[in-house]
Amino acid sequence: MEKHVLGEQWAVDVHLSDDQQPVPREGLIAALDQLDEKTTSVLLIDDNSDDALLIQRLLEAKKSYRMHHANNGLEGLEQARLLLPDLIVCDLTMPEMDALR
């Protein structure tokens, strides 16, 4: 389903450092398979409500996470500091503050 909805962007990898292990090419579902049982809370930061709902459904299909949602980067940063979630899923481009600025 994610490939149908997201098109060619469904398996884009993001590497943060040279020593980071590459994420499997299967996308979000494959990444979720690598999470351990200690991962219970998720902060989803996305300004597009349709995208956020899709990602939330993909996550909840895997496991019953405690989901938190922020609509922009500033709100997400504030919630991340307050909640200290186990996992943060973030849109890269958003108004006000995003992962590229």
Side-chain angles (χ1 to χ4, degrees), residues 11-66:
V12 173
D13 292 340
V14 176
H15 297 282
L16 302 177
S17 66
D18 292 337
D19 59 349
Q20 179 185 0
Q21 294 293 326
V23 175
R25 298 297 304 173
E26 291 83 17
L28 180 61
I29 299 300
L32 290 175
D33 288 339
Q34 294 187 18
L35 296 177
D36 62 21
E37 291 302 312
K38 294 178 185 176
T39 304
T40 60
S41 63
V42 177
L43 172 58
L44 174 57
I45 307 171
D46 199 319
D47 61 319
N48 183 305
S49 60
D50 291 335
D51 292 349
L53 182 59
L54 172 64
I55 293 168
Q56 181 173 342
R57 286 182 177 165
L58 289 170
L59 289 166
E60 290 175 340
K62 242 7 208 169
K63 181 179 172 182
S64 180
Y65 294 103
R66 284 190 321 265

Side-chain angles (χ1 to χ4, degrees), residues 60-75:
E60 290 175 340
K62 242 7 208 169
K63 181 179 172 182
S64 180
Y65 294 103
R66 284 190 321 265
M67 295 294 301
H68 306 278
H69 181 248
N71 292 311
N72 62 59
L74 290 174
E75 183 182 324

Side-chain angles (χ1 to χ4, degrees), residues 2-14:
E2 67 181 321
K3 186 173 183 178
H4 173 70
V5 173
L6 300 175
E8 294 303 314
Q9 295 297 312
W10 75 282
V12 173
D13 292 340
V14 176

